[in-house]
């Protein structure tokens, strides 16, 4: 019988990767590459970014050396797990014309990969659940996403050191994990050593944990882990205004602030590309030079693209103002109407990777201030009229 929670050392983390690979999993996790902490296939736990952290601000991202050897003490990088579950580009079918003029169309089979995601942040764990709802939870299902997701083994890493652009507490998505994982790790580095409190969240998680070198969880490690997560919640770099964001977006559609923010927006779509929940796609058809072979590909698209809403009379959203407003009001407002939750998980990627440093939390606060000031003016005018 496996303990409900256990403690792993760095050797246990090495064993975890080996066990997952032995079970046929492709292990994906954070690693240091090209001066960033990126998600890539791991051959061993030695490739984790031990001793590396991140300095992130609006429009800025830098790695930095830490004073300890923590593996997961860094905020979100330029990728999310969406890159693997909902890839940038997927072929949907091919068509070939034979010598007699006949046509054979072959539908692309979903990839047969079995992933294990190591080091999934609580905000990203929530993002995966949101994508599950979007792509497989309704009438229109994405079989390619479903095939990748159904076999994925998720190893969460609770957040103990948030970045300057993190605001998961405001969105209710961290820094602790509550559900949706197979294993959850909480990293502890203190005078008693470097270790990981590990607990299982599924039958397969329990089976994997049983194969690892481990020891029973002690009270000191449990206390240290809980304290680290609790302190992280108190050190969020950003926050949303403590109001109903859905109502705020609905009631400020004509606010002057939209002109201010879109004077800085380049309509580049970076925020949608790095967002872990943005899911929009388009299709493109290609042929070879003979015209005898054709393919249809699905690729990521962005609501910032002028052609995204192109109809026979032109684009529906022809201005940067309308496109930015659409993105933000959908992400934290009307997403509730479509999918029953917010589309934002508070990871802060859109802030970091915006080339002009636009900060959606700053914009939400500004919209709230403008709405509050307008309500006060209207109340004063009504009082004067009496």
């Amino acid at each position: 019988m496996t303990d409900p929670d256990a403690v792993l050392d760095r050797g246990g983390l090495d064993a975890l990767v080996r066990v997952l690979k032995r079970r046929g999993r492709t292990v994906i996790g954070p690693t240091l590459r090209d001066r960033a902490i990126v998600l890539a296939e791991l051959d061993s736990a030695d490739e984790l970014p031990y001793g590396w952290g991140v300095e992130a601000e609006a429009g800025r991202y830098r790695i930095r050396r830490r004073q300890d050897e923590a593996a997961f003490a860094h905020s979100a990088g330029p990728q999310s797990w969406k890159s693997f579950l909902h890839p940038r580009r997927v072929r949907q079918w091919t068509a070939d014309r034979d010598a007699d003029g006949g046509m054979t169309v072959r539908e692309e089979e979903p990839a047969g990969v079995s992933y294990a995601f190591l080091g999934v942040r609580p905000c990203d764990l929530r993002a995966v659940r949101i994508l599950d709802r979007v792509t497989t939870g309704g009438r229109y299902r994405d079989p390619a996403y479903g095939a990748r997701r159904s076999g994925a083994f998720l190893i969460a890493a609770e957040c103990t050191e948030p970045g300057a652009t993190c605001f998961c507490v405001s969105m209710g998505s961290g820094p602790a994990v509550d559900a949706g994982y197979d294993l959850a790790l909480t990293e502890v580095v203190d005078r008693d050593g470097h270790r990981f409190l590990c607990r299982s969240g599924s039958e397969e998680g329990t089976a994997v944990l049983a194969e690892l070198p481990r020891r029973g969880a002690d009270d000191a490690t449990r206390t240290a882990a809980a304290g680290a997560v609790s302190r992280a919640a108190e050190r969020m770099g950003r926050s949303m205004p403590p109001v109903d964001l859905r109502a705020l977006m609905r009631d400020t559609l004509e606010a002057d602030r939209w002109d201010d923010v879109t004077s800085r927006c380049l309509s580049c779509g970076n925020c949608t590309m790095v967002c872990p929940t943005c899911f929009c796609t388009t299709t493109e058809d290609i042929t070879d030079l003979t015209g005898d072979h054709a393919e249809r590909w699905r690729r990521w698209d962005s609501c910032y693209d002028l052609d995204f809403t192109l109809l026979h009379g032109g684009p529906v959203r022809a201005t940067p103002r309308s496109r930015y407003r659409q993105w933000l009001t959908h992400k934290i407002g009307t997403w509730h109407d479509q999918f029953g939750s917010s589309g934002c998980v508070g990871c802060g990627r859109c802030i970091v990777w915006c080339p002009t440093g636009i900060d959606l939390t700053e914009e939400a606060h500004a919209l709230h201030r403008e709405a509050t000031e307008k309500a006060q003016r209207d109340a004063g005018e009504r009082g004067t009229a009496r």
Side-chain angles (χ1 to χ4, degrees):
M1 179 68 179
T2 303
D3 295 332
D5 54 7
V7 174
L8 309 178
D9 58 15
R10 284 185 57 164
L13 213 55
D14 292 336
L16 174 59
V17 173
R18 291 197 301 271
V19 167
L20 292 169
K21 291 176 70 67
R22 190 167 64 242
R23 285 170 167 252
R25 302 280 185 179
T26 298
V27 182
I28 307 294
T31 190
L32 187 65
R33 185 174 299 171
D34 298 329
R35 292 182 295 178
I37 294 177
V38 301
L39 300 176
E41 184 174 351
L42 304 178
D43 290 324
S44 78
D46 290 338
E47 297 175 79
L48 291 169
Y50 287 110
W52 288 97
V54 165
E55 292 178 359
E57 253 302 342
R60 176 182 171 83
Y61 178 95
R62 297 288 187 275
I63 57 171
R64 63 175 177 84
R65 250 302 180 183
R66 294 178 53 84
Q67 294 181 347
D68 59 31
E69 288 297 307
F72 301 113
H74 53 84
S75 55
Q79 301 159 285
S80 69
W81 307 96
K82 177 179 77 171
S83 300
F84 301 92
L85 295 174
H86 183 55
R88 300 170 186 273
R89 204 161 174 263
V90 175
R91 187 166 62 187
Q92 296 183 293
W93 50 256
T94 60
D96 291 283
R97 183 164 49 202
D98 59 32
D100 298 326
M103 187 73 69
T104 302
V105 178
R106 297 178 182 85
E107 184 177 0
E108 194 77 6
E109 293 295 326
V113 65
S114 179
Y115 284 121
F117 294 156
L118 172 59
V120 183
R121 299 285 170 185
C123 56
D124 280 343
L125 194 64
R126 174 68 62 85
V128 169
R129 289 158 62 182
I130 290 173
L131 280 181
D132 290 349
R133 171 68 181 85
V134 170
T135 59
T136 63
R139 179 180 177 185
Y140 302 102
R141 297 172 179 267
D142 178 357
Y145 178 94
R148 292 180 177 88
R149 177 67 179 93
S150 63
F153 185 90
L154 304 185
I155 307 156
E158 292 193 302
C159 181
T160 58
E161 188 164 326
T165 57
C166 294
F167 57 101
C168 65
V169 170
S170 291
M171 308 313 297
S173 56
V177 297
D178 55 359
Y181 58 86
D182 294 288
L183 290 175
L185 304 173
T186 311
E187 188 169 25
V188 176
V189 184
D190 59 19
R191 66 184 63 184
D192 294 326
H194 187 183
R195 58 208 188 277
F196 304 86
L197 182 67
C198 181
R199 63 186 189 272
S200 63
S202 70
E203 289 186 9
E204 187 175 7
T206 299
V208 169
L209 183 57
E211 295 186 48
L212 305 180
R214 65 195 184 280
R215 60 180 173 84
D218 56 279
D219 290 340
T221 299
R222 289 193 184 100
T223 300
V229 174
S230 178
R231 288 189 296 275
E234 299 168 356
R235 302 199 317 272
M236 290 288 118
R238 295 290 199 277
S239 68
M240 282 288 193
V243 298
D244 183 342
L245 297 177
R246 183 181 181 187
L248 177 64
M249 294 296 103
R250 181 194 64 214
D251 297 339
T252 57
L253 294 176
E254 302 305 322
D256 293 336
R257 182 67 184 190
W258 297 115
D259 293 322
D260 179 277
V261 64
T262 51
S263 70
R264 295 172 275 132
C265 178
L266 303 178
S267 289
C268 67
N270 263 19
C271 51
T272 60
M273 297 297 104
V274 297
C275 177
T277 65
C278 277
F279 59 88
C280 289
T281 60
T282 188
T283 56
E284 56 183 15
D285 294 330
I286 60 174
T287 62
D288 65 5
L289 292 177
T290 68
D292 291 332
H293 177 81
E295 298 178 354
R296 170 162 288 182
W297 289 77
R298 185 184 71 186
R299 63 171 174 82
W300 287 359
D301 202 359
S302 171
C303 54
Y304 284 88
D305 188 339
L306 184 61
D307 290 341
F308 185 78
T309 58
L310 183 66
L311 299 178
H312 64 281
V316 173
R317 303 186 190 98
T319 65
R321 183 185 194 274
S322 64
R323 295 196 291 276
Y324 183 87
R325 187 180 67 176
Q326 157 63 22
W327 175 73
L328 186 58
T329 56
H330 183 218
K331 185 62 59 176
I332 63 176
T334 54
W335 201 291
H336 287 273
D337 302 312
Q338 276 189 290
F339 306 116
S341 73
S342 173
C344 176
V345 297
C347 69
R349 287 184 177 92
C350 61
I351 304 172
V352 175
W353 299 99
C354 173
T356 61
I358 294 173
D359 181 343
L360 81 167
T361 66
E362 179 184 338
E363 301 312 316
H365 279 284
L367 289 167
H368 176 50
R369 284 195 301 272
E370 184 175 338
T372 300
E373 291 167 0
K374 181 179 184 300
Q376 291 172 344
R377 287 196 304 271
D378 292 346
E381 291 171 1
R382 287 194 297 270
T384 301
R386 294 195 191 98

